[in-house]
Amino acid sequence: MQNMDKEKKILLNEHESAEIKHLSERLVNVDKTEALANYVRLEFLLNNRDFSTDQEAYVTILNRLGEYHGRNKDNLKAEEYFFVLRDYGEKTHNKGIIFRAKSNLAIVKAQLGFYHEAIEIWQEVLASGVSKKLERDLCNNICVGYGCLDKYSEAIEYGYRSIAASEELNQPEDTVSTYANLGIAYNYLGNHEKALEVLLKAYKLAQDFKNYRRETECCNNLSVVYNEMGDTETALDYANRCLVIQMQYSSEHESANALNNIGYINECAGNLSEALIFYKAALKIFMDDFDLASKANTLINIGKIFKSYKDFQEAIQYLDEGVKLARELGVRHLVENALRIYIEVYSQLGHFEEALKCSKEIIEIKEEGYSKLSKNTVSIAEANYYRQKIERQAELYHKQNIELLKTNKTIRQKTRQVAEANEELNSINQIHNSLIRVISHDVRAPLGNIYQALNLINENGMDDEDRKEMLLDLQESSGEIYSLLNEMLDWIISQRKQISHEPNLQLMDVVPILRNVFVFYSSLAKQKHVNFSISLEHECMAAIVDQEMLKIATRNIFSNSLKYTQGGGKIGMNVSYRDDLLCISVSDDGIGMNLKEIKKLTQGKLTSSRGTAMEIGSGIGFGLCKDSVRKMRGKLNITSEKGKGTTIEILLPRS
C-alpha cells in the first residue's frame, strides 16, 4: 500500500501512467501467470511512485488491485484497497470515486454472504444520482444480490435496468454478466427456455469479445440449467468447458467450484464414483480454507456418496467434519441437509435414538425459520471477519503518518461504536429468544390447529354448512398469523438497519403518508365496526422523518389500537404542531392498560395476549414503533387507563 511520504518517491511519468492503464486491463482475460506478473508490477508502482499529478492513474490502480484480490477471494486485502480509494475520494471531494469505492466494498460484503447489507448500500448509491456506467454496474450487482436471496423477480427487474444502461452507453460487451445472471434467475423461476435463451446470448457475446472470465460464468450457468432439465450430457459438456478455461485463466480457487459442480451433475445422474472423484478434487483445494461454506458443502456431499455406498463409518466421518464447519459458520441449510443424511445412516445402522435426535433438530431449525431468526445473531465467521477488518484498518491508519491525529480519533470512534453495537446485539439476542417463544406459542400452535382442521375437511365427513363455517374460521386464524409474522418481519428489518445504517432523515410533508396508513386501517376498522377518524391542523404538515420508519410507527399504533378496541368503539388520529415539534396523537376508548402492563410494554418484554376479537398480540408492534421514533430523534408518550382506553403520542422535530 502506498506510503504517504512523497519526498522519497519518484514522480509518476507519462510512460508509467500509460503502463498502468495497459496493465490494469490485463489483470483479467489473460493467462494467470501473466496476470500475477502484471499485479506485481502495478503494486510496485503504487508503492514507489508519487501520483500527485495523475489522479486518474491513482484511482485506476487502487480500483484494479482491489478487484484483483476480490476475484481471488482475498476479501480483506480487497477491502483494504477500496477503503483507501474511498478515503481518497472523500479527501478530494470526488463523489464519483466515493460511489465507486462504496459499490466495491459492498461486493466484498456480498462475497462474504451479507447480501442484504450489500443490496442496501448499492441501492443507496444508486439513489444518489450516479453516472450511467456506475448505474449499469450497480443494477447488475443488485441483480446478483437478489438472486442469492432467492428473490428472482427483483433480480430480473434490476438485470434489465443494467442491460438498458449498457445499451445507452453502446457497450454490448458489458451485458454478458447481466445476461448470465438473468439466466439463473429464469431457471429458478422454472422458465428453462427463457433461461437458455439469455444464457446462450451471453455465451456468444463472451466468445465474440474474448471475455474468458464471463465465458466461464456462462458455461457454469448453462451446465446448471441443462442439469435441471435432465440433460446430463450437455450439462457435463458445459461444466467441463468451464473447468478448462478456469484452469488457464483463473485462480485454482475458482476452479474448485467448477469441480464441485461437475461432481454434483454426476451425482444427479447416478454416477457416484465419478462424483466422488470430483468432490475430493474440489475438497483438496478447499482445504486452504478460502471458502469455508463451499468446503462444508463438499464434505457433506462426500458423506452422502459414502452413505449410498453403505460405508457408514466413512460417511459419518465426512458428515461430522462438514456439520461442525457449517455450525461454526451458521449456515443452517447445510446443517439441515447433513441431518437428513444422518437420519438415513443411523436408521441403516439401527441407531434409532440418534436418528430421532436428528429429526428433532431438523424440526427446531424449521421452527427458527418461521421468522428467519438465529439465537446466535453473529456467527463465528462473521465475528472473525469484523475483528480482522478492524485490525487491518487500524494498521492502515497507523501507516498514514501525515493524518495520524485524525486517524487516532477515528479508531477511538470505531471502538466506541463496536462497544455500543455489542451492547445492542446482546439486547437484540434477548428479544430474539422471546420472539422464538412467541413463535412456538402463537404461530406453531395455530398452524397445528389449521393443519388438523384441513385434514377434517379433506375427510369429507361434514356437511357444506359446517365446512363453510370452518373455512371462515381458518381464514380468520391464518390472517392473524400473517399479521403477526408481518410484525416480526418489520421488527427484524428494523433491527438489521439499526445495526448497520443511519435513518434517511428528510424534511417532508407527512400528511400523505399518514392518510395512506389511515385509509388502509379504515377498511379494517369498518369490518370490526369501530369508528375511525382523522383530524389535521393543516393540509400540509412537515417534519424531519424517515418515510419508511414513520409508516412502521403509525401502522403499528393503528394496528394495536384496533386490536384492543371493542366493536362500536372509537379511534381518532390528531395531527398538530407544538412549538418546534409535530405531534401525531392516536386515541382509542378500548380496554386500556394498568401501570404494570404499561411498564412491561415500554421495557420491550414480549408477552402473548389476545385482542377484543381474539386477535393475536405479542408486543412486537409497540417495540417497532418505539425503535422507529427513537431513530427519527423523536419522543413517544403513552397514557392509558384500564377500561377507558389509551393515547399514544409521537413527537417529531420540525427542523
Side-chain angles (χ1 to χ4, degrees), residues 418-437:
V418 170
E420 291 170 0
N422 284 336
E423 184 178 348
E424 191 68 35
L425 283 171
N426 288 333
S427 173
I428 291 171
N429 279 336
Q430 292 175 4
I431 300 179
H432 278 187
N433 292 333
S434 299
L435 276 172
I436 291 170
R437 289 195 294 272

Side-chain angles (χ1 to χ4, degrees), residues 51-119:
F51 287 81
S52 58
T53 60
D54 197 335
Q55 180 191 74
E56 183 180 352
Y58 185 56
V59 170
T60 297
I61 201 169
L62 286 172
N63 198 48
R64 291 299 189 182
L65 290 177
E67 290 175 351
Y68 176 84
H69 284 293
R71 280 193 294 272
N72 286 284
K73 308 298 183 182
D74 189 350
N75 293 312
L76 291 174
K77 191 70 175 175
E79 195 174 51
E80 186 176 320
Y81 282 100
F82 295 143
F83 271 128
V84 174
L85 182 62
R86 185 198 62 186
D87 292 344
Y88 180 75
E90 291 175 349
K91 182 179 178 180
T92 57
H93 307 291
N94 189 314
K95 288 186 177 180
I97 296 174
I98 296 171
F99 290 156
R100 174 62 67 180
K102 283 186 174 181
S103 174
N104 287 338
L105 284 167
I107 291 174
V108 175
K109 280 186 175 290
Q111 289 186 161
L112 289 165
F114 309 142
Y115 301 113
H116 287 289
E117 292 90 336
I119 289 172

Side-chain angles (χ1 to χ4, degrees), residues 211-261:
N211 190 327
Y212 303 115
R213 181 163 169 254
R214 297 306 180 193
E215 187 177 347
T216 62
E217 186 179 349
C218 294
C219 286
N220 182 74
N221 293 356
L222 281 164
S223 73
V224 171
V225 176
Y226 278 114
N227 190 49
E228 287 275 328
M229 297 172 66
D231 188 344
T232 304
E233 183 178 349
T234 307
L236 281 174
D237 179 44
Y238 278 108
N240 284 318
R241 288 191 216 178
C242 175
L243 180 60
V244 169
I245 299 171
Q246 282 185 334
M247 290 177 68
Q248 182 176 359
Y249 294 100
S250 302
S251 68
E252 185 182 47
H253 292 160
E254 290 189 60
S255 64
N257 288 311
L259 291 167
N260 209 23
N261 186 31

Side-chain angles (χ1 to χ4, degrees), residues 385-423:
Y385 161 72
Y386 280 114
R387 175 180 58 76
Q388 293 174 33
K389 183 174 75 170
I390 291 170
E391 290 173 354
R392 281 180 176 269
Q393 193 166 346
E395 181 183 354
L396 172 65
Y397 282 136
H398 281 298
K399 290 179 180 178
Q400 296 175 339
N401 296 321
I402 294 178
E403 300 182 2
L404 183 60
L405 291 176
K406 176 183 175 182
T407 300
N408 286 337
K409 180 180 177 181
T410 302
I411 293 172
R412 287 196 297 272
Q413 290 174 343
K414 293 278 185 185
T415 303
R416 284 197 299 270
Q417 290 171 2
V418 170
E420 291 170 0
N422 284 336
E423 184 178 348

